[in-house]
């Protein structure tokens, strides 16, 4: 019998001894576990940016309507249990361990027969489906991991809707080096006859998605930024009018400060519109649910005037610059930054500094094999014109330093989801104020 800690350690070691499996393998595993996905109302979400936020909006709206909703998402920031949520609460260690033991028993049996061991993500996905089956949830909102077509989550047979969020260049070594190629991989989640709701702002990606939907005889609905009209923008969030095909002009408030969340919210609302005969919820219920949405590490307010954002790819950095740029017109901004060594951090820092002027910058380090020197990062900020730059390798000390420098302005924590996770954990443990 495993303890919770032993189970987590085992899962974290899986990448050392596995390789990518085919979808047929994941489907076989699901069937051997009793097909926990069968008969469930599953909303499947793929995309480069925004898919986690769309999942959170969908889950919260369904919860507001009285449904029990399971949410499977990645990565986790502080604790692996975060990947499995039921009505916004991560599952307990006991529930996690029970699901782990069932999947571990299956994987041991497969290996003993000369079959493949489930991969890290595959193992977690199988656990998630068991957890949601055991909890008898009404809905499952399922976020893809990497890509779509070959993603373990794409082994589910009968989703009730497929959602494709913003698509841009990321993970090009796996998904292709053009937007069209990446869109093709994401569109691989589209199933025959299942409605598709997608971000149509990139015409190249939209064309690929529409073509795939036609091939699969799947009705599709396009959502574009022009369907959203902002009415107010403050540190507390954004109010806007969403011109919805299914609900008409709908006033929404999202408790996030990034403009792109209007698009994510609109995608989620249109998805609920497509499914309104299924869930039967009123527009007012959806509005209220959206207002209460929380999503970790995506322009998240973790303390008054302290915003955490895990943006780490080209499009994410551009959106970060856009949001921080708006607020730097109102007050001085301080940046706490780190990244990992296998990212193009030189280009990342150049892009950030070309669009923003910081009162102060504090660089730090995340421990591990991918650690990047705080001193080296600080020097790059200096080379890009930042005058007040400090390198503080220890994360907690760096955060305290940045908070002190912030004064009455705003502090942005950015560059890495791992950094966001450590800061949130530190804030929680110390009841930071």
């Amino acid at each position: 019998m495993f303890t919770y800690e032993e189970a987590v350690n085992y899962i974290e070691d899986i990448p050392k001894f596995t390789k990518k499996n085919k979808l047929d393998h994941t489907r076989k595993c699901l069937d051997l576990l009793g097909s926990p996905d069968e008969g469930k109302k599953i909303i499947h979400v793929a995309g480069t940016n925004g898919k986690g936020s769309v999942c959170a909006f969908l889950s919260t709206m369904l919860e507001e309507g009285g449904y029990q909703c399971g949410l499977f998402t990645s990565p986790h920031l502080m604790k692996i249990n975060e990947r499995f949520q039921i009505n916004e609460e991560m599952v307990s260690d006991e529930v996690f361990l029970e699901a782990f033991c069932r999947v571990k028993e299956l994987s041991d049996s497969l290996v003993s027969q000369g079959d493949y061991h489930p991969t890290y993500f595959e193992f977690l996905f199988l656990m998630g489906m068991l957890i949601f089956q055991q909890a008898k949830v009404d809905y499952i909102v399922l976020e893809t991991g990497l890509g779509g077509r070959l993603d373990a989550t794409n082994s589910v047979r009968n989703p009730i809707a497929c959602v494709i969020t913003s698509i841009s260049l990321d993970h090009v070594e796996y998904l292709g080096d053009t937007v069209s190629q990446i869109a093709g991989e994401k569109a691989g989640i589209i199933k025959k006859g299942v409605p598709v709701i997608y971000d149509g702002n990139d015409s190249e990606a939209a064309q690929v998605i529409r073509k795939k939907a036609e091939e699969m005889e799947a009705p599709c609905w396009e959502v574009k930024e022009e369907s959203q009209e902002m009415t107010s923008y403050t540190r507390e969030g954004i109010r806007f009018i969403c011109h919805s095909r299914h609900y008409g002009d709908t006033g929404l408030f999202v408790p996030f400060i990034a403009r792109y969340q209007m698009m994510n919210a609109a995608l989620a609302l249109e998805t609920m519109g497509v499914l309104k005969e299924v869930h039967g919820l009123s527009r007012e219920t959806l509005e209220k649910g959206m207002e209460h949405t929380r999503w970790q590490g995506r322009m998240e307010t973790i303390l008054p005037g302290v915003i955490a954002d895990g943006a780490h790819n080209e499009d994410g950095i551009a959106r970060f610059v856009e949001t921080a740029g708006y607020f730097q017109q109102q007050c001085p901004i301080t940046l706490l930054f780190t990244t990992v060594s296998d990212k193009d951090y030189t280009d990342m820092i150049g892009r950030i500094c070309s669009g923003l002027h910081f009162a102060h910058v504090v660089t730090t380090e995340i421990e591990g094999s991918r650690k990047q020197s705080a001193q080296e990062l600080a020097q790059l900020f200096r080379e890009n014109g930042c005058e007040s730059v400090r390198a503080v390798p220890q994360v907690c000390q760096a955060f305290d330093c940045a908070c002190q420098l912030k004064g009455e302005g705003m502090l942005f924590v950015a560059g890495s989801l791992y950094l966001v996770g450590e800061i949130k954990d530190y804030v929680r443990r110390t009841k930071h104020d």
Side-chain angles (χ1 to χ4, degrees), residues 84-384:
F84 320 102
Q85 297 181 34
I86 298 174
N87 284 7
E88 296 184 88
E89 295 292 332
M90 68 179 179
V91 300
S92 68
D93 294 354
E94 292 75 21
V95 168
F96 179 97
L97 186 57
E98 182 181 348
F100 167 83
C101 289
R102 285 191 62 187
V103 179
K104 176 67 166 59
E105 183 180 0
L106 170 66
S107 65
D108 288 346
S109 174
L110 291 171
V111 171
S112 70
Q113 298 168 29
D115 205 339
Y116 298 108
H117 189 290
T119 64
Y120 176 86
F121 187 78
E122 191 179 15
F123 199 104
L124 291 169
F125 166 63
L126 295 171
M127 285 177 57
M129 299 312 291
L130 287 176
I131 288 169
F132 298 143
Q133 180 193 48
Q134 182 68 26
K136 298 180 180 178
V137 299
D138 301 302
Y139 288 85
I140 297 172
V141 178
L142 198 58
E143 180 190 4
T144 58
L146 176 63
R149 181 175 63 91
L150 301 177
D151 192 79
T153 61
N154 205 29
S155 59
V156 298
R157 292 193 182 105
N158 301 301
I160 58 173
C162 297
V163 185
I164 302 176
T165 67
S166 168
I167 292 173
S168 60
L169 296 178
D170 194 21
H171 299 295
V172 294
E173 66 273 32
Y174 304 111
L175 304 180
D177 56 8
T178 68
V179 167
S180 289
Q181 288 176 325
I182 294 174
E185 291 298 312
K186 308 292 185 184
I189 71 167
I190 298 173
K191 303 289 192 299
K192 188 174 179 63
V194 175
V196 182
I197 304 90
Y198 68 96
D199 182 321
N201 289 297
D202 186 295
S203 59
E204 191 177 344
Q207 184 177 0
V208 172
I209 295 166
R210 281 194 298 270
K211 182 179 178 183
K212 182 65 175 179
E214 289 172 10
E215 290 173 4
M216 302 302 289
E217 299 177 353
C220 62
W221 285 265
E222 181 178 79
V223 180
K224 299 178 77 170
E225 288 179 353
E226 60 199 42
S227 70
Q228 301 120 51
E229 181 183 342
M230 183 188 295
T231 56
S232 77
Y233 190 11
T234 69
R235 290 191 190 191
E236 285 67 49
I238 301 173
R239 293 191 183 278
F240 68 103
I241 304 297
C242 179
H243 305 293
S244 165
R245 286 190 181 89
H246 294 87
Y247 294 110
D249 289 353
T250 304
L252 297 174
F253 173 80
V254 292
F256 305 103
I257 66 165
R259 289 173 182 261
Y260 59 76
Q261 292 292 12
M262 292 191 294
M263 182 64 204
N264 293 331
L267 269 173
L269 182 69
E270 210 66 359
T271 301
M272 294 297 281
V274 171
L275 298 175
K276 64 182 178 180
E277 298 301 320
V278 179
H279 59 71
L281 302 179
S282 69
R283 187 176 75 174
E284 291 71 27
T285 297
L286 304 184
E287 292 171 2
K288 191 174 180 182
M290 193 166 286
E291 184 173 343
H292 295 156
T293 302
R294 296 173 296 169
W295 190 235
Q296 295 195 88
R298 279 75 171 183
M299 281 295 172
E300 177 190 8
T301 301
I302 59 174
L303 288 170
V306 180
I307 312 298
D309 186 55
H312 57 275
N313 59 33
E314 184 177 326
D315 188 59
I317 291 297
R319 297 301 183 96
F320 166 75
V321 170
E322 175 189 55
T323 302
Y326 175 82
F327 288 97
Q328 80 174 359
Q329 299 172 38
Q330 303 175 12
C331 64
I333 60 174
T334 297
L335 175 68
L336 174 59
F337 181 89
T338 195
T339 187
V340 289
S341 59
D342 55 1
K343 289 289 180 182
D344 187 355
Y345 51 85
T346 301
D347 180 67
M348 189 185 299
I349 291 171
R351 288 175 180 273
I352 290 172
C353 292
S354 67
L356 298 170
H357 173 74
F358 299 105
H360 307 282
V361 174
V362 180
T363 60
T364 190
E365 298 174 1
I366 297 293
E367 291 299 323
S369 60
R370 302 163 71 200
K371 179 172 72 174
Q372 178 55 42
S373 162
Q375 295 287 355
E376 189 175 334
L377 294 172
Q379 183 56 34
L380 286 169
F381 275 101
R382 293 187 188 103
E383 292 172 3
N384 279 274

